[in-house]
């Protein structure tokens, strides 16, 4: 039996339900914008909207990469550390005279290698995804601090730093990067056989293997995509703040996971989309932005995020039980 034939039977999300859920998330996002617009006088200002789009954009890209991994029933806790380490990498390369484009290419390659290392630990060494990515989180922070001697590396390349401050058609350049990532990600996940493989592995890896899916290769692909997205966000963050700092993006892995879960991705695998995590990221960014405007304690914001994850995962469990 051919691979093409058998993988057609791999479980994929129902398009009608995906569209309905996506519209629900969009409606929630618009409702939050309307509510905050009525509750504050500064929400709809150009500076605030621009800042919201910039911050939400980086979380959204991280969430897309995280979604690929979660669909396979895995997890990547290292993405925040990869972002910080990537900012150090590109800053170090630029400070040592490496031209801009090669420096960015090498930084993305570092992301690819980190993802491949994660997959190697899972596939060849038999380590749980939680353990290997948690170890990388700690190690990358340490390596970055060692390289910078606990300090930061300034970036003097104006072409690089000006990008994050630029707008195109009145929309921040960082937000356009979400589109650049989202379109190929959507095609990959929803319109290609490789996307079906991810869902198949997340549903039942042994059944997928017996159906002809190369499970190991699929896991490699998922973790490489996640780390590459994180490295790309590291470039964007370095451009925005103008420095390389290993401690940047601390806690962003939780933001990415929360955005993915809010967007309908199941932590049990085999359920997810691209548009859901994107909307989830901007819902989360809107909540944080609104909380800041309303002078809500930053610690309370973390509590809100945690409660959201608990509630959504609980209802996901109920949905799974009801579908059996």
């Amino acid at each position: 039996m051919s691979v093409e034939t058998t993988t057609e039977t791999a479980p994929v999300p129902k398009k009608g339900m995906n569209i309905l859920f996506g519209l629900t998330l969009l409606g929630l996002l618009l409702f939050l914008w309307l509510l905050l617009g009525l509750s504050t006088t500064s929400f709809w200002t150009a500076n605030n909207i621009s800042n919201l789009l910039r911050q939400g954009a980086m979380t959204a890209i991280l969430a897309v990469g995280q979604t690929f991994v979660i669909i396979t029933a895995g997890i990547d806790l290292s993405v925040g550390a990869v972002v910080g380490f990537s900012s150090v990498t590109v800053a170090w390369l630029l400070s040592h005279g490496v031209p801009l484009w090669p420096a960015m290419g090498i930084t993305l390659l570092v992301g690819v290698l980190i993802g491949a290392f994660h997959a190697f630990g899972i596939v060849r060494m038999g380590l749980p995804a939680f353990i290997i990515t948690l170890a990388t989180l700690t190690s990358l922070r340490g390596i970055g601090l060692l390289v910078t001697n606990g300090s930061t590396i300034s970036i003097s390349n104006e072409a690089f730093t000006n990008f994050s401050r630029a707008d195109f058609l009145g929309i921040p350049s960082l937000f356009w990067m979400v589109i650049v990532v989202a379109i190929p990600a959507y095609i990959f996940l929803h319109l290609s056989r490789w996307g079906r493989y991810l869902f198949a592995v997340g549903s039942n890896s042994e059944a997928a293997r017996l159906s002809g899916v190369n499970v190991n290769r699929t896991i490699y692909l998922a973790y490489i995509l996640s780390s590459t997205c994180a490295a790309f966000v590291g470039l964007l963050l370095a451009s925005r703040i103008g420095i390389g700092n290993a401690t940047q993006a601390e806690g962003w892995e939780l933001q990415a996971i929360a955005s993915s879960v809010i967007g309908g991705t199941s932590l049990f695998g085999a359920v997810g989309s691209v548009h859901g995590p994107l909307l989830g990221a901007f819902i989360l960014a809107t909540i944080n932005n609104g909380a800041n405007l309303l002078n809500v304690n930053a610690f309370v914001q973390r509590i809100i995020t945690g409660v959201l994850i608990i509630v959504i995962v609980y209802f996901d469990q109920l949905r799974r039980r009801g579908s059996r």
Side-chain angles (χ1 to χ4, degrees):
M1 187 176 292
S2 67
V3 172
E4 291 295 332
T5 301
T6 56
T7 53
E8 290 295 331
T9 63
V12 293
K14 296 180 180 178
K15 291 184 178 180
M17 293 179 64
N18 266 341
I19 293 174
L20 178 61
F21 185 74
L23 290 175
T24 302
L25 289 176
L26 180 59
L28 175 59
L29 179 61
L30 294 176
F31 172 75
L32 288 173
W33 285 5
L34 177 61
L35 183 64
L36 289 171
L38 295 174
S39 304
T40 68
T41 57
S42 55
F43 180 78
W44 283 110
T45 61
N47 284 338
N48 185 64
I49 294 298
S50 179
N51 182 62
L52 174 62
L53 292 178
R54 285 188 172 96
Q55 185 57 46
M58 290 189 280
T59 305
I61 294 171
L62 276 184
V64 169
Q66 186 74 240
T67 297
F68 293 136
V69 169
I70 295 177
I71 286 175
T72 66
I75 198 75
D76 188 350
L77 298 178
S78 71
V79 292
V82 174
V83 171
F85 185 73
S86 297
S87 74
V88 169
T89 301
V90 69
W92 187 89
L93 291 170
L94 291 174
S95 68
H96 283 75
V98 179
L100 178 58
W101 287 103
M104 292 193 297
I106 292 171
T107 302
L108 292 176
L109 179 59
V110 168
V112 171
L113 294 176
I114 292 171
F117 172 73
H118 290 157
F120 177 83
I122 295 166
V123 170
R124 300 299 180 187
M125 300 175 66
L127 298 175
F130 176 90
I131 296 299
I132 186 70
T133 58
L134 181 62
T136 304
L137 182 157
T138 304
S139 299
L140 287 179
R141 295 288 188 197
I143 295 171
L145 289 170
L146 187 64
V147 170
T148 62
N149 197 26
S151 185
T152 62
I153 302 176
S154 297
I155 300 174
S156 58
N157 189 305
E158 292 187 1
F160 182 68
T161 55
N162 287 340
F163 173 80
S164 64
R165 306 185 186 100
D167 292 342
F168 179 68
L169 300 178
I171 299 175
S173 298
L174 291 182
F175 182 80
W176 286 109
M177 293 300 98
V178 177
I179 308 299
V180 169
V181 171
I183 292 176
Y186 182 88
I187 294 172
F188 168 82
L189 186 61
H190 297 290
L191 302 178
S192 76
R193 63 176 182 172
W194 298 105
R196 294 196 298 273
Y197 292 172
L198 292 180
F199 288 108
V201 170
S203 177
N204 189 320
S205 61
E206 182 60 20
R209 185 185 66 80
L210 294 174
S211 296
V213 176
N214 190 321
V215 174
N216 290 348
R217 184 184 300 169
T218 303
I219 292 174
Y220 268 93
L221 184 60
Y223 282 89
I224 286 173
L225 288 173
S226 177
S227 290
T228 303
C229 284
F232 184 53
V233 172
L235 292 175
L236 298 180
L237 180 62
S239 172
R240 187 179 185 190
I241 64 178
I243 60 172
N245 187 347
T247 61
Q248 285 294 323
E250 188 172 2
W252 283 21
E253 57 278 349
L254 299 181
Q255 296 283 324
I257 294 170
S259 298
S260 187
V261 171
I262 291 171
T265 307
S266 173
L267 288 174
F268 302 98
V271 176
S273 65
V274 169
H275 58 271
L278 295 179
L279 290 168
F282 284 101
I283 287 172
L284 201 58
T286 298
I287 292 173
N288 292 334
N289 180 265
N292 289 331
L293 295 178
L294 295 171
N295 295 318
V296 176
N297 190 294
F299 301 137
V300 175
Q301 296 178 36
R302 295 192 177 193
I303 295 172
I304 293 172
T305 301
V307 170
L308 274 175
I309 295 174
I310 292 172
V311 170
I312 292 172
V313 172
Y314 173 72
F315 280 106
D316 182 43
Q317 283 184 314
L318 293 181
R319 180 192 60 78
R320 286 170 59 86
R321 291 170 186 170
S323 64
R324 290 176 182 176

